[in-house]
Amino acid sequence: MSIRSLLKMLSKPAQKKAVKRDSIDFPGDKTSLSNKIGDNVEWLANMLGNPPDLVTREITIGTHKVTVVYSEALVEKNIINNLLYGLMIDSNKSFIMQEDLFNAVKEKILNSGNIAEVTTLGKALEAITFGDSVVLFDGYTKALTLDTKSWAARAVEDSKIESTLRGPRDAFNENITTNLALIRMRLKDPKLRVYRTFVGERTNTALMILYVEDIAKPEIFDELLQRIDKVEVDGVLGSGKLEQLIEDNIFSPFPQALFSERPDKAVAHLLEGRYVILVDGTPFSLIVPVTMAQFLNSPEDYSDKWLTASAVRLLRYAAVLMSMFLPAIYIALTTFHYHLIPSQLILPIAESRAVVPFTPFTEAIIMELTLELLREAAIRLPSAVGQTVGVVGGIIVGNAAIQAGLFSPLLIIVVALTAISTFIIPNYNFGLAVRFVRFPIAIISSIFGGFGIIIAWIMLTTHLVTLESFGVPYAAPFAPLRFSDLKDTIIKVHPSYMLKRPESARAQDKQRQVPKREN
Amino acid sequence: MKTKKYAKFNEITPLQLFFLIFLSQLGAGLLTLPRDVTAVAGQDGWISVFLATILTALAAAVAVKLASRFEGLGLIEINQKVFGKFLGSVLSVIYFSYFLLNGANLLIVSAGLITVWVLPGFPLIYVRALYLLALVYLTRNGIKVIARLFTLYFYHIVPLFFILAWPAWNLEPRLIFPVGTVGLLPVLKGMEAPLYGFLGFETVLLLNPFLKEPQKSMLPVQAATLLVGLLYTATVFILTGFFGVGELQFQLWPTIFVARTIEVAFVERLDIFVDIIWVIITFTTLAMNYYLAALSLARIFNQKEHKGFILYLVPPIYLLDNLVYNATQAFVFAKYLSRTGAVLAYILPAVIYLISLVRKVKGGGKLAK
């Protein structure tokens, strides 16, 4: 998009060439370790600013001095104690005296699985900031790093915002390794590929791109990597920020990547040939590329019988349309096209509207805004108080507004219907977009009536077909029409008929299951 | 855009070509056709429509033949190749002016009908401005997005079939039968109105460079023509049998009136769906004209990108609409435009094809992309 590139040009004088970052640039990456142990320790302490949690433990093995450096906040005490115990108990063994100390310690003493040799100060520094321990040897220009991490993390808990009745309950947490484990547990395919990289100049947030090699289309991976490489911010604290930095169209309210806290959903999308991005410190995975129809799918649908699941799907599509257009239709009908209202209905409506001092548009906008206020308040408050908001909003405000004759009861019904419709949308971000869009539609309908609604529909659909998520049309499989993908949109057919992977995932291996033989 | 690298930009599949041709052909004529045809051809009006369908299928075949002879080239380039630089440009300008004027005229007619039908007494300039806003928003994205949108709008036509199915069960046989009492001449004369309703198949000539599989364009174009023909014929047949020729002459919009006779449960006004469909249909025709005008202008100036020309066309169309003529003039003008369009769509492609055969001009290949 031209405006986007213009903005980029304005905000960045010189574009840095994108480089693949599979490790982090640290100061001192080029400086090799000194063979004097004191210099190394001093450099490390100075670089970190002598923090209180930096521990340097000196021990003597035979005649050599060895120092273990680590950050107390990031390590597991038991592992460290074990490590020190090993070093000390074996320090007088005879083999130590005869051999090269460094190799002896590395090969015969340290009982950690994840052990690495480093030769530069930068790497040692990196290890400490990641929670590893560095073992420095006097007289050697190399050091050992050991995995001693123990980052504070929640246990795997119930899924909070995407709860289902029948599906699995567990959800991602903030630890990227746990999240990877939750996915690997479910998908034992050796073709599952995990690509790790880092984003954020200062936070150095780990990021993993997961895909199944022989299903997912490689071009999308290249594109994804290119976009991630271009991200040059100081910190990425959540997948939401990353999502915005890599999406196709930044001027659209509609989300162009699917977020999910459910590992089963992530695996389902991996199996369709999509890419899953895990960001360290976020309990949400990002799924790309996506189409609009996916935002209206719930994991529940795949556990339910196809017939009932299809009925629920139908309800959801109706809910999206209703929450976008119902206020606008109310405004258009009561302002411009009252002759369209059936004669049995027009009298009660006119009666209820007769006492209302506002125009339908003002009335609708005030009530819709009140609803948004209540919803925001309910989200921000702790759940115990949140119920009070419901009572105050629903009963007191709604009832009082009608009793006072400020709003017509029909409007309250319309507003309540739109509110409930948006709650049906399974994806929060998509629901937000729908909630946002209904205001411009209401405004245009207040000026142009039914014609305005049709033009709004035309422009909305135009916008939706313009959008693309990593080269995949957003409105697929409806437009462009992909007939075989329709089986998992408004209706969901029986699983045994889902023979092919969706075309909109651009899978290489299109066959999902072998057709059953009839006998 | 970042995805440009591997997203094949601006290529349309045969299926998308079908939707494009279908919706550019299907015009607002659907609403008035039953009256216009039966005024000339009486109760045999549907035969006129049927004959017009066949004639259009032939003309569309010629257009597709011409397009596939110059694979990868648009009408503007074909003109230049066949007639030389000067004469070809003149012809291209004629086509461009037709698309522009037809677009401007359609805008007047549609906006005028909105202010009569949907928003009585509403200032015309705002309705036109809103139409133009939606048009620019759509057409600047190019043919791929237009094709996707038309795909979506194809589903919008579906309620029309249900609405037509209602009177189809309540036909009065004596209003149609016996067939062929009117005579041959009125039937042939009656073909004029439906022929104008089929304008839009010539679009394939301009969309030629965008086709993904140029060899496969015959089937979608013919299918679109036949489906439009079926819809037109069925509408005329059913409405003649439902209302009768005499009554049809007094109805401004027979297709809307037939929807009004339907009452299901508490829904009294099914014609609202016809109204919506009508706006969508005119919008698609309008969008196609607008896009083709910008595209042909861009090609005349040898530009690949039509985007800038979309914006250049806004002031002339808007000024033309607001200063030069009003709705009454527009209806008169529409007649002349339709005749010009018929020449440009039915006769000229055949002429170009013959000349190219005689002069043995061929080609294009994939170069023009």
Side-chain angles (χ1 to χ4, degrees):
Chain A
M1 177 163 276
S2 57
I3 304 171
R4 189 194 171 114
S5 52
L6 199 72
L7 283 177
K8 276 221 154 154
M9 263 159 57
L10 286 176
S11 62
K12 239 184 278 169
Q15 194 107 23
K16 227 164 73 180
K17 208 176 160 241
V19 278
K20 267 187 193 169
R21 230 150 69 95
D22 34 22
S23 66
I24 304 160
D25 306 323
F26 258 75
D29 253 351
K30 299 263 156 40
T31 329
S32 47
L33 287 160
S34 146
N35 58 1
K36 281 192 190 136
I37 203 165
D39 292 356
N40 290 335
V41 173
E42 200 189 328
W43 188 89
L44 288 173
N46 278 339
M47 276 313 284
L48 292 167
N50 288 313
D53 60 333
L54 187 75
V55 179
T56 51
R57 176 74 159 90
E58 290 171 19
I59 35 182
T60 319
I61 303 180
T63 53
H64 290 278
K65 271 194 175 160
V66 173
T67 307
V68 182
V69 187
Y70 59 90
S71 160
E72 204 179 16
L74 292 172
V75 299
E76 171 83 48
K77 283 241 164 54
N78 284 336
I79 304 178
I80 290 288
N81 290 345
N82 234 333
L83 159 75
L84 291 174
Y85 176 75
L87 283 172
M88 284 165 163
I89 205 90
D90 290 333
S91 62
N92 295 322
K93 293 270 169 68
S94 56
F95 63 84
I96 296 272
M97 306 297 169
Q98 293 153 6
E99 286 176 51
D100 178 24
L101 178 71
F102 187 84
N103 282 336
V105 168
K106 187 183 169 193
E107 282 159 19
K108 295 185 178 157
I109 296 180
L110 294 180
N111 54 357
S112 168
N114 206 341
I115 190 165
E117 250 177 64
V118 294
T119 52
T120 62
L121 284 164
K123 286 281 170 217
L125 188 64
E126 181 190 325
I128 293 172
T129 54
F130 271 74
D132 294 344
S133 302
V134 178
V135 186
L136 296 157
F137 295 83
D138 201 18
Y140 287 90
T141 56
K142 47 189 178 177
L144 287 173
T145 62
L146 289 94
D147 185 6
T148 49
K149 292 185 201 59
S150 160
W151 295 352
R154 282 187 302 148
V156 175
E157 284 168 19
D158 273 21
S159 143
K160 292 262 160 47
I161 59 168
E162 289 174 275
S163 52
T164 59
L165 244 57
R166 251 192 104 170
R169 294 279 157 77
D170 55 349
F172 290 130
N173 68 9
E174 284 79 5
N175 191 329
I176 196 167
T177 323
T178 316
N179 296 348
L180 181 61
L182 288 174
I183 289 179
R184 274 208 191 275
M185 243 165 64
R186 289 181 165 80
L187 186 62
K188 298 184 185 81
D189 189 349
K191 292 274 185 194
L192 174 67
R193 294 283 175 270
V194 182
Y195 178 88
R196 192 182 65 160
T197 178
F198 297 91
V199 287
E201 305 283 310
R202 285 178 186 278
T203 56
N204 286 313
T205 312
L207 184 145
M208 287 179 185
I209 305 172
L210 276 66
Y211 58 101
V212 183
E213 197 181 26
D214 50 353
I215 306 178
K217 196 181 179 185
E219 280 89 338
I220 295 177
F221 181 71
D222 297 341
E223 179 72 27
L224 185 58
L225 213 60
Q226 213 176 35
R227 291 191 196 179
I228 288 174
D229 278 338
K230 282 201 184 127
V231 172
E232 281 173 11
V233 287
D234 55 348
V236 172
L237 295 177
S239 55
K241 188 170 179 179
L242 186 77
E243 179 188 335
Q244 292 178 53
L245 288 168
I246 62 172
E247 69 190 354
D248 291 67
N249 186 348
I250 57 170
F251 296 104
S252 171
F254 291 93
Q256 290 145 56
L258 181 65
F259 78 85
S260 176
E261 58 169 357
R262 300 178 58 91
D264 58 326
K265 200 167 170 178
V267 170
H269 283 102
L270 282 174
L271 287 177
E272 285 185 349
R274 294 179 213 273
Y275 289 82
V276 171
I277 307 170
L278 297 175
V279 182
D280 202 10
T282 323
F284 295 106
S285 61
L286 277 183
I287 296 158
V288 289
V290 284
T291 62
M292 187 178 62
Q294 277 171 270
F295 291 97
L296 297 173
N297 296 356
S298 159
E300 190 86 65
D301 301 345
Y302 299 95
S303 309
D304 286 351
K305 303 267 287 175
W306 69 274
L307 205 55
T308 48
S310 298
V312 175
R313 287 270 177 91
L314 210 60
L315 201 67
R316 267 187 223 136
Y317 279 82
V320 170
L321 287 181
M322 259 164 63
S323 48
M324 279 181 184
F325 287 97
L326 215 51
I329 290 173
Y330 170 79
I331 293 169
L333 279 182
T334 48
T335 318
F336 295 94
H337 314 294
Y338 27 82
H339 55 278
L340 287 177
I341 306 171
S343 42
Q344 298 98 313
L345 279 176
I346 184 102
L347 275 177
I349 291 174
E351 221 168 88
S352 73
R353 287 229 9 100
V355 286
V356 176
F358 305 117
T359 62
F361 173 68
T362 329
E363 193 190 17
I365 288 290
I366 291 176
M367 222 48 221
E368 291 286 346
L369 282 176
T370 314
L371 176 80
E372 295 297 320
L373 282 177
L374 286 172
R375 181 159 21 194
E376 265 316 288
I379 292 173
R380 304 289 157 237
L381 281 174
S383 55
V385 198
Q387 287 178 346
T388 327
V389 174
V391 173
V392 171
I395 300 170
I396 301 178
V397 174
N399 213 10
I402 296 175
Q403 298 248 314
L406 289 176
F407 300 97
S408 74
L410 181 67
L411 176 77
I412 304 289
I413 296 173
V414 166
V415 171
L417 268 178
T418 44
I420 291 175
S421 305
T422 51
F423 290 141
I424 290 178
I425 301 168
N427 184 285
Y428 180 71
N429 276 15
F430 195 77
L432 262 180
V434 169
R435 275 159 64 189
F436 174 80
V437 157
R438 75 178 196 271
F439 286 99
I441 296 177
I443 291 169
I444 200 171
S445 124
S446 75
I447 304 170
F448 290 96
F451 173 64
I453 295 180
I454 303 175
I455 291 291
W457 171 248
I458 287 174
M459 292 185 73
L460 179 73
T461 43
T462 306
H463 177 69
L464 287 175
V465 298
T466 316
L467 283 182
E468 285 187 355
S469 164
F470 289 86
V472 171
Y474 199 59
F478 303 110
L481 179 63
R482 304 202 197 290
F483 196 74
S484 78
D485 283 13
L486 288 176
K487 63 184 183 292
D488 191 15
T489 51
I490 298 184
I491 53 152
K492 186 205 138 253
V493 299
H494 189 266
S496 65
Y497 290 98
M498 293 210 186
L499 301 177
K500 281 186 179 165
R501 300 206 160 83
E503 271 178 62
S504 54
R506 299 272 148 91
Q508 288 178 304
D509 177 15
K510 295 202 186 312
Q511 203 68 21
R512 200 202 286 262
Q513 57 179 329
V514 183
K516 249 188 279 181
R517 282 265 165 87
E518 299 290 333
N519 45 1
Chain B
M1 206 166 211
K2 280 175 177 177
T3 46
K4 208 168 199 166
K5 203 181 70 195
Y6 63 93
K8 284 178 196 132
F9 247 55
N10 283 330
E11 272 196 333
I12 45 177
T13 61
L15 187 65
Q16 286 179 325
L17 182 66
F18 165 76
F19 293 130
L20 281 169
I21 300 286
F22 177 78
L23 277 169
S24 6
Q25 281 189 314
L26 195 64
L30 183 68
L31 301 194
T32 49
L33 192 62
R35 191 191 64 221
D36 293 345
V37 179
T38 51
V40 183
Q43 66 190 46
D44 287 341
W46 62 275
I47 302 177
S48 304
V49 182
F50 181 70
L51 290 178
T53 311
I54 292 173
L55 192 62
T56 310
L58 289 175
V62 172
V64 173
K65 274 280 171 207
L66 177 60
S68 56
R69 189 176 168 84
F70 294 90
E71 194 174 299
L73 290 184
L75 183 63
I76 309 303
E77 291 89 27
I78 297 176
N79 282 343
Q80 287 205 354
K81 271 208 144 176
V82 176
F83 294 103
K85 197 138 201 178
F86 178 72
L87 207 58
S89 298
V90 170
L91 203 56
S92 303
V93 169
I94 292 175
Y95 269 100
F96 159 72
S97 329
Y98 165 68
F99 290 129
L100 181 77
L101 290 177
N102 202 24
N105 197 61
L106 266 172
L107 185 60
I108 296 202
V109 173
S110 340
L113 291 174
I114 290 287
T115 54
V116 172
W117 206 244
V118 187
L119 298 165
F122 203 81
L124 258 175
I125 47 168
Y126 297 123
V127 175
R128 287 173 189 162
L130 193 65
Y131 250 126
L132 267 176
L133 180 72
L135 278 173
V136 171
Y137 188 57
L138 168 65
T139 44
R140 63 189 288 280
N141 290 303
I143 192 67
K144 194 164 133 184
V145 166
I146 298 178
R148 282 183 197 160
L149 194 73
F150 280 23
T151 311
L152 208 59
Y153 288 164
F154 182 74
Y155 317 131
H156 291 48
I157 312 293
V158 173
L160 206 59
F161 290 96
F162 288 104
I163 288 169
L164 282 177
W166 174 269
W169 291 113
N170 301 304
L171 291 186
E172 233 2 282
R174 71 184 164 83
L175 293 174
I176 303 169
F177 294 105
V179 175
T181 47
V182 186
L184 188 64
L185 203 62
V187 168
L188 289 181
K189 269 188 183 166
M191 280 167 66
E192 191 187 349
L195 276 186
Y196 299 155
F198 279 108
L199 290 179
F201 63 87
E202 76 276 12
T203 309
V204 70
L205 282 170
L206 283 116
L207 299 185
N208 200 27
F210 302 112
L211 299 181
K212 201 175 182 182
E213 295 163 88
Q215 323 82 15
K216 288 187 183 167
S217 53
M218 185 60 95
L219 181 67
V221 173
Q222 292 297 351
T225 306
L226 290 181
L227 191 61
V228 174
L230 180 75
L231 198 59
Y232 281 170
T233 314
T235 311
V236 171
F237 184 84
I238 291 169
L239 291 198
T240 313
F242 190 72
F243 287 122
V245 177
E247 203 180 319
L248 271 179
Q249 302 316 311
F250 296 106
Q251 292 182 354
L252 196 54
W253 308 101
T255 316
I256 291 182
F257 279 112
V258 83
R260 215 173 256 189
T261 60
I262 306 171
E263 268 187 47
V264 190
F266 75 97
V267 185
E268 288 176 5
R269 299 283 303 266
L270 267 181
D271 56 320
I272 186 90
F273 290 105
V274 184
D275 287 345
I276 294 171
I277 293 169
W278 172 75
V279 174
I280 299 274
I281 288 176
T282 47
F283 182 82
T284 51
T285 316
L286 202 51
M288 212 58 217
N289 270 293
Y290 196 96
Y291 172 74
L292 290 182
L295 180 74
S296 46
L297 194 59
R299 294 278 167 160
I300 287 171
F301 285 108
N302 231 340
Q303 300 287 313
K304 285 230 157 112
E305 201 60 40
H306 75 286
K307 229 177 217 180
F309 292 94
I310 291 283
L311 290 176
Y312 300 150
L313 287 185
V314 174
I317 288 189
Y318 197 62
L319 288 178
L320 211 62
D321 281 6
N322 286 332
L323 299 177
V324 181
Y325 52 118
N326 57 37
T328 333
Q329 285 171 315
F331 276 108
V332 180
F333 201 57
K335 221 177 223 172
Y336 296 113
L337 269 175
S338 299
R339 282 179 193 158
T340 322
V343 172
L344 292 181
Y346 285 89
I347 299 170
L348 263 181
V351 172
I352 298 173
Y353 187 57
L354 280 178
I355 293 178
S356 76
L357 276 183
V358 171
R359 292 187 58 186
K360 296 204 170 79
V361 192
K362 250 182 109 166
K366 294 267 173 190
L367 280 171
K369 269 182 195 174

